[in-house]
Amino acid sequence: MDPYPRSIFDQVKCPNPFLYSAVIRGYSLQGPLSESIKLYGLMRTEGVRPVSFTFSAILKACSALLDVSLGRQMHAQSILIGGFCSDLFVGNTLIDMYIKCGFLECGRKVFDEMPDKDVISWTGLIVAYAKIGDMETSRELFDGLPVKDMMAWTAMVTGFAQNARPREAIEFFERMQNAGVGTDEVTLIGVISACAQLGAAKYADWIRDIVEKRGSAAGHSVVLGSALIDMYSKCGNVEDAYKVFAGMNDRNVFSYSSMIMGFSVHGRADDAIKLFNEMVKTEIKPNKVTFIGVLTACVHRGMVDEGMSIFDSMEKCYGVKPSADHYTCIVDLLGRAGRLEEALELVKTMPIEPHGGVWGALLGACRIHGNPDIATIAASHLFELEPNAIGNYIMLSNIYASAGRWLDVSWARKLMRRKGLKKNPGCSWIEPRKGVIHEFFSGDMTHPMSSEIKQVLMDLLDRLEATGYQPKLSSVPYDVSDEEKRRILITHSEKLALAFGLISMNPGCSIRIMKNLRICEDCHLVMCGASQITKRDIVVRDNMRFHHFCNGTCSCGNFW
């Protein structure tokens, strides 16, 4: 705090509690925070009785210092000196102090004992529970809030979005709209993020319309524009993402990075690199995220020389020191190109400690090229770094299975069972013309239209086999008969979703499928063939990238 106010305060012979509180608040806001504590001690020594404003100010200092011990002392003082804990502003500051210091349950106890509460009291706890992932408690508090304002609604929308529960986030946003409650940029960013997670085109256009009607056109807001670019890219519509980008009046590094990443995951590596080259000619300098995007583009197209050149230029030309995430891209790039030994040597000699992503990229490359020996090395590190990440155990097991090393497969599966790890079932979802999202799980034939789905799927496979398609039995990592492998492959979730799309969507319409796991080689073959036979564009978003199937080919060039 500027020394001038304190010098004036020191000249006052008998400062009253409001003057003390004003200076304490000044130190709490501008520092040094320790001075606000000392001034409170002087106030008590001089026999000046604090007011509620005093405790609000001093508790803010405790929050800033993350000093829960001192905060508890002030809490006790507020009770002993006139029962200020029943004061609304003191109560809210106590809740905030306990939450920021990591004692949420203490904050909840203060809340429960407060005779009067306002929307700030409720919203502070709603946000706190959302941050630790307890959305059920957040929802209970929200439901109990007598008058729900924009802050409370926004807390729920962003809370669900940040906890990877996009359906509930969109549901609450819809309720918010129906209740006639206004939105701000934070609300819109939250629901845009939820839409991006869900990948539903219907919601993307709806939210874009709301943004435009609100007067927050993407062209005038860099933050909203960047978020919309990311949303459209993840909903499978990179063309609309670029329209948003092109229509922005101002762009920053996040706008460029979002668009570059959008091009990358859609297999448009040339466009991603072109945009990167345009960006570096402006005053906007690339950051770590930008390089992740452009390196990912090189990975998805197998552009080894271009990728290595860009990686080498990061620190030399742009002052961006490569992180473990950038090394992950290069290991992935080399590994997918079959240069596994070179990738392993890079991991061993990189100047920073490799994290799970680096070893995971190497393990994934071993799956592509069937190298169980290097896979064992990569997996041993992953089991130490990510002991409960079931995907690593499954991938190693699949690599062993492809190599016919069934004893090693048995070992890997026993290890999973011993750790109590369970595989997430393959799940795909599709949005037909009515906008209702349908989910399909691998092997699950309980959909109301299962009979029709099975018939359409069998007819499609018969037509594909007539053109030379043969099931990729190696996509089933189990030691079972070939007939059983065929049965398992037929009921993969993305095939079920494809068949449903062929039934429920008008001829000629593009079919967009979202999947929670990586698409298998057999399903990739089927999607390629189906796009040619049915004369439909098929888009599949798996957990790695987008695949655009058109007339028998895929945008990934069979490199994924």
Side-chain angles (χ1 to χ4, degrees):
M1 188 175 74
D2 191 300
Y4 183 66
R6 180 59 188 266
S7 66
I8 295 175
F9 173 83
D10 290 339
Q11 293 175 43
V12 178
K13 289 186 178 180
C14 298
N16 63 27
F18 297 100
L19 191 55
Y20 267 107
S21 301
V23 181
I24 288 172
R25 184 172 185 274
Y27 282 124
S28 299
L29 293 174
Q30 299 180 27
L33 297 171
S34 57
E35 286 299 316
S36 63
I37 311 298
K38 289 179 183 177
L39 197 57
Y40 176 78
L42 177 63
M43 181 182 188
R44 299 298 295 128
T45 301
E46 295 294 325
V48 179
R49 184 181 177 83
V51 293
S52 63
F53 183 57
T54 315
F55 286 108
S56 295
I58 201 76
L59 287 166
K60 284 184 183 295
C62 296
S63 298
L65 290 166
L66 299 179
D67 191 338
V68 74
S69 177
L70 182 60
R72 282 175 168 155
Q73 291 179 51
M74 291 300 107
H75 187 179
Q77 290 270 305
S78 72
I79 296 170
L80 294 170
I81 305 169
F84 285 111
C85 61
S86 62
D87 181 273
L88 176 63
F89 298 106
V90 174
N92 285 346
T93 314
L94 278 168
I95 292 170
D96 183 66
M97 184 273 296
Y98 279 122
I99 289 170
K100 286 181 176 172
C101 290
F103 290 80
L104 175 54
E105 291 311 309
C106 293
R108 179 61 187 267
K109 191 170 187 299
V110 172
F111 173 86
D112 291 338
E113 294 174 355
M114 285 171 66
D116 298 305
K117 306 176 181 72
D118 63 6
V119 69
I120 295 172
S121 321
W122 297 82
T123 306
L125 281 174
I126 289 169
V127 171
Y129 279 109
K131 282 183 177 177
I132 63 170
D134 187 355
M135 290 308 301
E136 281 64 39
T137 302
S138 288
R139 191 197 290 261
E140 287 173 13
L141 286 163
F142 180 83
D143 290 341
L145 177 57
V147 179
K148 301 169 175 62
D149 68 356
M150 184 177 69
M151 287 178 59
W153 281 103
T154 298
M156 293 303 295
V157 172
T158 56
F160 278 119
Q162 289 166 0
N163 284 286
R165 294 171 63 172
R167 293 181 193 279
E168 289 106 323
I170 293 171
E171 174 202 330
F172 266 79
F173 184 76
E174 284 187 287
R175 287 173 56 190
M176 183 180 183
Q177 290 287 296
N178 294 335
V181 180
T183 58
D184 63 5
E185 197 163 89
V186 178
T187 324
L188 294 171
I189 294 296
V191 74
I192 288 170
S193 169
C195 185
Q197 292 175 47
L198 197 57
K202 166 201 170 185
Y203 292 117
D205 291 335
W206 171 60
I207 291 165
R208 171 77 180 274
D209 287 344
I210 290 171
V211 171
E212 299 293 347
K213 286 175 184 176
R214 182 181 171 274
S216 303
H220 301 289
S221 169
V222 178
V223 176
L224 278 175
S226 301
L228 286 169
I229 291 167
D230 181 63
M231 177 189 73
Y232 272 118
S233 296
K234 289 178 178 174
C235 289
N237 197 335
V238 73
E239 289 78 14
D240 278 352
Y242 188 71
K243 285 178 185 175
V244 173
F245 178 82
M248 293 177 70
N249 297 330
D250 296 302
R251 301 177 187 129
N252 62 11
V253 66
F254 302 107
S255 318
Y256 274 97
S257 298
S258 293
M259 194 64 248
I260 289 169
M261 183 59 82
F263 281 137
S264 298
V265 297
H266 284 272
R268 292 172 56 170
D270 293 337
D271 289 325
I273 293 170
K274 180 183 176 184
L275 188 59
F276 173 76
N277 290 332
E278 289 177 10
M279 176 187 178
V280 298
K281 292 175 183 176
T282 71
E283 293 181 356
I284 301 169
K285 299 303 177 188
N287 64 10
K288 292 185 177 183
V289 178
T290 318
F291 282 106
I292 293 291
V294 73
L295 289 173
T296 299
C298 296
V299 169
H300 287 169
R301 280 284 297 275
M303 301 166 71
V304 179
D305 292 339
E306 292 88 342
M308 295 301 292
S309 175
I310 291 168
F311 180 76
D312 290 340
S313 74
M314 283 179 60
E315 191 166 12
K316 191 185 304 179
C317 301
Y318 305 103
V320 178
K321 191 173 183 179
S323 69
D325 291 335
H326 299 104
Y327 278 96
T328 297
C329 292
I330 297 303
V331 169
D332 201 11
L333 182 65
L334 292 170
R336 287 171 186 264
R339 294 158 63 169
L340 294 172
E341 295 288 349
E342 192 176 341
L344 177 60
E345 185 60 27
L346 176 65
V347 177
K348 289 179 177 178
T349 57
M350 56 188 280
I352 53 179
E353 193 68 25
H355 59 26
V358 175
W359 290 110
L362 184 59
L363 183 64
C366 293
R367 179 192 64 83
I368 295 169
H369 297 286
N371 191 316
D373 295 327
I374 293 180
T376 303
I377 296 170
S380 65
H381 288 278
L382 284 166
F383 294 164
E384 289 182 14
L385 293 167
E386 305 169 348
N388 296 318
I390 189 170
N392 298 326
Y393 298 86
I394 292 171
M395 190 174 294
L396 180 64
S397 174
N398 292 352
I399 293 167
Y400 286 148
S402 296
R405 290 169 53 167
W406 298 109
L407 287 176
D408 289 326
V409 170
S410 178
W411 169 81
R413 290 180 179 165
K414 283 178 183 176
L415 193 58
M416 282 190 282
R417 287 195 295 271
R418 191 161 67 241
K419 289 178 170 288
L421 303 176
K422 293 184 179 180
K423 179 183 177 182
N424 291 326
C427 175
S428 297
W429 56 99
I430 185 172
E431 179 188 1
R433 63 177 177 269
K434 290 184 180 179
V436 178
I437 295 172
H438 289 251
E439 284 185 329
F440 296 88
F441 290 88
S442 292
D444 182 9
M445 299 298 291
T446 59
H447 191 276
M449 295 179 65
S450 284
S451 297
E452 296 96 318
I453 289 169
K454 185 176 180 181
Q455 186 59 54
V456 167
L457 190 52
M458 296 305 295
D459 291 345
L460 176 64
L461 293 175
D462 286 342
R463 293 174 67 188
L464 288 174
E465 287 179 0
T467 62
Y469 159 74
Q470 289 295 322
K472 197 75 174 179
L473 301 182
S474 60
S475 294
V476 179
Y478 305 114
D479 189 13
V480 294
S481 68
D482 286 355
E483 189 58 37
E484 179 63 12
K485 287 182 179 181
R486 287 189 179 89
R487 190 195 66 77
I488 292 171
L489 286 174
I490 288 171
T491 57
H492 274 193
S493 65
E494 55 267 60
K495 290 192 182 83
L496 299 177
L498 171 63
F500 178 73
L502 291 170
I503 295 169
S504 60
M505 300 177 71
N506 291 330
C509 287
S510 295
I511 296 175
R512 297 174 185 271
I513 299 167
M514 306 294 162
K515 181 175 170 63
N516 66 333
L517 305 174
R518 188 180 299 195
I519 187 171
C520 78
E521 193 171 355
D522 183 70
C523 287
H524 198 272
L525 279 173
V526 169
M527 297 293 171
C528 276
S531 70
Q532 185 169 32
I533 287 175
T534 65
K535 305 300 179 187
R536 291 190 188 232
D537 289 346
I538 301 168
V539 180
V540 178
R541 186 187 88 177
D542 66 9
N543 68 343
M544 295 296 293
R545 60 169 297 157
F546 278 88
H547 299 264
H548 293 256
F549 301 93
C550 179
N551 198 30
T553 62
C554 179
S555 59
C556 75
N558 296 326
F559 194 87
W560 86 97

